[in-house]
Amino acid sequence: MKDMATYDWMESVRNTNEWLGASARAMASYPVWGLVPHPMFKVMSAWGRITERSFARMVIKPDWGIRTVVGEDGRDHIVEVDTLVTRPFGDLIHFRAVGRPVRARRILLVAPMSGHYSTLLRSTVASLLPDCEVYVTDWKNARDIPVSEGKFDIEDYTLYLVDFMRHLGPDINVVAVCQPAPLTLAATAYLAEEDPSAQPRTLTLIGGPIDPDAAPTEVTDFGRRLTMGQLEHLAIQQVGFKYAGAGRKVYPGLLQLASFISMNLPTHTKAFQDQIVRAARGEAGERDKHNRFYDEYLSVMDMTAEFYLSTVERIFKRREIATNAFTVAGKPVDIGKITQVAVKVVEGEKDDISAPGQCLAALDLLTGLPDEKKASHLEPEAGHYGIFAGKSWRTNIRPLVLDFIDRNSGAPKARRGRIRAV
């Protein structure tokens, strides 16, 4: 009950701030204040609008918002999101362009489960849709999953990926972004030994912590400083009475968000100060750059306690992937068993979450894979977000990844013109 009370207290604080923002916006927007030409009322209204919106976003799952894609015929094709596999903790979805011929190049994007929804990859999906059939792992918010559904840790996550790859067939090309990179590598190794015919054609690992010790960051140092007991005491709570997962132990998304913001507090503070000024001047828009970014950034989800704790303990502390000592259901997973799947590693030179070297360590673990099936790319000046969703991804990394897939998958090269999906 103590942990549930703490969870509900955090939700109460969030809800109160949302209410304060709404109240300030409403009060400062009364027409009568037009008789008092003082900038305070415009600033107060702007602060209220931005505060209300920001705290409301924290409990809302963003929409994918990808409605059409341009086909080779020059027409806009409606994009529908089909659910192919439904599981308690995550679904496999497909972005289907209605009326467009099926693309030969098929890509499974493995989205992170690190506090944000899978929609964090929205721009990545949109950039790939013109040339590919795109599938995504759509993870669910742990607060909405009843306790009766059982546990979900990194072994369960790995087996979900195995099932999704099996469902899509051996002509799939897998792209893992950030957190799932080590577990996607493990899932591929699991298939290499258990079901070789179901292995993907290619595997691209983007900015993931294969070996956190290869290039320590603030994230890895945090995991080192705390014992597992301290971490559980500080980070784990039980979902409160408001949600279907009441009583489930989780690492709350609001705590993760606080951690994200604290890493770059001056930057975020300035961004909101500048937005308040723009809003007070009437220069802010509903879908301006600030709102597009923070509508996604502030939308957070809870992770199950066992997933969060097993990630810290087994990936970061014990380095089970880095030392090729990972097991699933008591069965050792040998990464050296991967002998057919071409693997490419992508890193950002200025990535402060998964620093250069952490993901590159995967290539040394692939002892059974010929050198000609290994590739790597270090993107100059790119940070963590940029290597999968920013300018660096669109202009440099995306073409390199698609060329790598074409060279190693046997699929015919598709026309790659303008990137346009809306």
Side-chain angles (χ1 to χ4, degrees), residues 213-290:
D213 281 4
T217 64
E218 185 176 340
V219 175
T220 60
D221 288 344
F222 173 78
R224 290 290 185 192
R225 288 196 302 267
L226 298 178
T227 67
M228 292 307 300
Q230 290 172 324
L231 191 63
E232 184 172 1
H233 176 74
L234 292 172
I236 303 305
Q237 298 173 11
Q238 285 180 283
V239 177
F241 298 103
K242 185 177 177 180
Y243 300 105
R248 177 180 289 281
K249 288 189 175 183
V250 297
Y251 175 48
L254 292 178
L255 275 184
Q256 180 74 326
L257 178 62
S259 175
F260 287 150
I261 291 177
S262 68
M263 290 177 65
N264 293 286
L265 184 58
T267 301
H268 293 298
T269 300
K270 186 176 186 306
F272 277 95
Q273 289 174 342
D274 292 346
Q275 182 70 356
I276 290 171
V277 172
R278 285 192 294 269
R281 291 174 176 172
E283 299 171 357
E286 173 67 19
R287 293 292 294 162
D288 59 21
K289 183 178 179 181
H290 177 94

Side-chain angles (χ1 to χ4, degrees), residues 120-131:
L120 188 68
L121 301 185
R122 180 188 297 104
S123 61
T124 318
V125 173
S127 71
L128 292 171
L129 266 178
D131 304 308

Side-chain angles (χ1 to χ4, degrees), residues 38-59:
H38 195 286
M40 176 193 72
F41 294 105
K42 290 185 177 180
V43 173
M44 183 177 178
S45 177
W47 176 87
R49 290 200 305 275
I50 292 167
T51 300
E52 178 188 14
R53 182 184 187 126
S54 298
F55 281 93
R57 295 304 306 179
M58 295 177 186
V59 290

Side-chain angles (χ1 to χ4, degrees), residues 7 61 86-91 113 117 138-153 160 238-240 242-250 301-307:
Y7 188 97
K61 180 180 180 180
T86 299
R87 301 289 295 275
F89 294 89
D91 298 336
M113 183 186 278
Y117 290 93
D138 192 19
W139 305 112
K140 299 178 182 178
N141 196 328
R143 75 180 184 206
D144 299 321
I145 304 171
V147 176
S148 58
E149 293 292 352
K151 70 173 184 67
F152 185 79
D153 61 14
Y160 266 48
Q238 285 180 283
V239 177
K242 185 177 177 180
Y243 300 105
R248 177 180 289 281
K249 288 189 175 183
V250 297
M301 58 181 284
D302 299 347
M303 290 176 272
T304 65
E306 57 271 18
F307 177 82

Side-chain angles (χ1 to χ4, degrees), residues 64-70 76-77 79 126 129 420-422:
W64 282 98
I66 301 174
R67 297 174 178 83
T68 63
V69 63
V70 178
D76 285 346
H77 294 266
V79 175
L129 266 178
R420 183 184 167 196
V422 297

